Amino acid sequence: MAAGSDVAVSSLSCANCSKPANLQCPKCMELKLPREGSAFCTQECFKASWSSHKSVHLKPKPSSLGTGMTGEQISDSLNEGWLYCLKKGQARTPKLPYYDWTGTLRPYPISSKRIVPANIDKPDWADDGIPKVEPNSDLQQCYQIERMRETCRIGREVLDAAARVICPGVTTDEIDKVVHEATIAAGGYPSPLNYHFFPKSCCTSVNEVICHGIPDARKLEDGDIVNVDVTVYYKGVHGDLNETYFVGNVDEESRRLVQCTYECLEKAISIVKPGVRFREIGEVINRHASMSGLSVVKSICGHGIGELFHCAPNIPHYGRNKAVGVMKAGQTFTIEPMINAGDRDRR
């Protein structure tokens, strides 16, 4: 805890017990968040409220939003600032950048967050961007098979609708619009929307982007490959599925990559049954990818899914992994092999 100025903090109350406070959360100071709500009278009060207080660190910084901004302007501000991490979070760069005529690296524009009608059932992060239970639950709450089947059928229809518009010249933002509207039309909520402030309704990952790409104004080009990752929230459960598509005329190397990835998925699915260890999935995928001269991404894995968007078990796709547990009847989880042409560390 950091001690604040006597003048500035003397009038503040403890966020936990409302007593006069002269200590301030160091993380709030680093993020330049308002002092109201980040002041505490003692270390004990700070520790007692940490589980709830830490959520404010994930929220957008009010200082970055300015004053007198409309809701749409705030949404635009957040979208422009949504970055992804490199080098274990120590560096950040705009998603899907391009080079302008001066050679300067610039991000493609991201449109405003799309609206979801009030009558649609929403997950807990829909309004404030903060999952209340996600993503650290160790509980597998994925036993609602019939609801999962129904939700995944909707997800498949949404993904097929997105596939029908993929062609050279179409932007990934236009794909996102199709996904959003098809999901809403089916009575569902696009799970990625506002999940940890993610600004779009699906993920579109082009060429060397492994996953979680943000739909933007970049036009797909002849020869691209694009993965569209869709998750639908319907009747209290999430249905997550994705597929990689060819854009126009794709070279043979890209075709082999996508074909091998599909075969890895099929081979992994074929061993799924009660009693099989989760770690076996990675062995099967890794063996087939290696035989094809390709490599497997290790930094991202499959996951349990159901009432929670992401939950146990973890499903690594690489060999010699240490995934815990065996498959049981009633569980639902994703298998999402991510395969690279070349070495996994030098894509």
Side-chain angles (χ1 to χ4, degrees):
M1 292 285 288
S5 163
D6 291 339
V7 175
V9 184
S10 59
S11 62
L12 296 179
S13 299
C14 177
N16 186 52
C17 68
S18 300
K19 293 180 180 179
N22 59 2
L23 298 176
Q24 190 175 1
C25 170
K27 187 65 176 179
C28 290
M29 294 178 66
E30 177 187 336
L31 296 175
K32 298 180 180 179
L33 296 179
R35 288 172 176 169
E36 295 79 6
S38 66
F40 297 89
C41 60
T42 64
Q43 287 279 1
E44 287 68 29
C45 273
F46 176 63
K47 292 176 182 178
S49 63
W50 174 250
S51 59
S52 58
H53 173 71
K54 64 183 179 181
S55 64
V56 305
H57 302 151
L58 300 175
K59 295 179 181 179
K61 304 175 190 178
S63 60
S64 69
L65 298 180
T67 58
M69 298 175 68
T70 66
E72 184 174 347
Q73 288 172 325
I74 291 175
S75 176
D76 288 342
S77 175
L78 292 177
N79 290 344
E80 289 172 3
W82 209 97
L83 307 175
Y84 77 106
C85 300
L86 295 174
K87 298 180 181 178
K88 299 182 180 179
Q90 297 174 11
R92 294 173 182 264
T93 182
K95 195 61 180 161
L96 284 179
Y98 70 99
Y99 289 90
D100 67 10
W101 65 274
T102 65
T104 303
L105 185 66
R106 300 183 183 280
Y108 274 94
I110 299 175
S111 62
S112 300
K113 189 175 75 173
R114 304 190 195 283
I115 303 301
V116 178
N119 64 306
I120 297 293
D121 187 26
K122 302 176 180 66
D124 60 15
W125 59 80
D127 294 326
D128 63 7
I130 303 173
K132 307 306 182 295
V133 180
E134 308 268 341
N136 296 318
S137 174
D138 293 326
L139 301 176
Q140 170 59 278
Q141 300 180 6
C142 306
Y143 295 96
Q144 302 79 24
I145 295 297
E146 288 309 311
R147 283 189 291 157
M148 286 294 292
R149 291 186 191 279
E150 188 175 1
T151 301
C152 288
R153 277 195 292 269
I154 293 173
R156 180 73 253 182
E157 293 168 359
V158 170
L159 188 57
D160 288 345
R164 287 193 287 270
V165 303
I166 294 175
C167 64
V170 169
T171 67
T172 51
D173 187 63
E174 290 171 317
I175 296 172
D176 179 78
K177 181 180 180 182
V178 170
V179 167
H180 184 88
E181 292 178 351
T183 302
I184 298 302
Y189 179 93
S191 301
L193 185 62
N194 212 32
Y195 180 68
H196 289 292
F197 309 110
F198 188 83
K200 291 298 168 184
S201 298
C202 70
C203 301
T204 53
S205 304
V206 182
N207 298 333
E208 76 278 6
V209 180
I210 294 172
C211 65
H212 303 155
I214 305 170
D216 58 20
R218 179 192 186 275
K219 293 182 179 180
L220 295 175
E221 300 176 1
D222 188 68
D224 284 345
I225 58 175
V226 55
N227 180 274
V228 181
D229 192 346
V230 167
T231 307
V232 173
Y233 181 72
Y234 182 73
K235 292 188 176 180
V237 295
H238 300 270
D240 182 0
L241 62 161
N242 72 84
E243 201 158 301
T244 300
Y245 300 95
F246 300 138
V247 182
N249 300 306
V250 175
D251 61 46
E252 189 58 33
E253 181 183 13
S254 297
R255 289 182 178 275
R256 285 197 302 268
L257 173 63
V258 174
Q259 179 64 32
C260 177
T261 306
Y262 179 78
E263 292 168 356
C264 286
L265 175 63
E266 291 290 291
K267 290 179 180 292
I269 291 174
S270 71
I271 70 166
V272 172
K273 62 180 180 181
V276 174
R277 295 183 300 176
F278 291 116
R279 68 181 62 178
E280 296 298 325
I281 291 174
E283 298 293 344
V284 169
I285 291 172
N286 194 83
R287 186 181 308 117
H288 186 68
S290 297
M291 291 175 62
S292 302
L294 303 173
S295 60
V296 181
V297 172
K298 288 188 174 183
S299 57
I300 307 170
C301 64
H303 53 87
I305 190 167
E307 290 184 348
L308 301 180
F309 193 176
H310 300 96
C311 59
N314 288 332
I315 311 294
H317 305 119
Y318 54 91
R320 303 177 70 178
N321 66 78
K322 298 181 180 180
V324 176
V326 298
M327 301 175 197
K328 299 177 182 178
Q331 290 177 324
T332 48
F333 52 87
T334 70
I335 303 175
E336 309 176 66
M338 284 154 271
I339 311 299
N340 292 324
D343 184 83
R344 68 180 180 86
D345 294 321
R346 298 183 65 184
R347 294 176 282 279

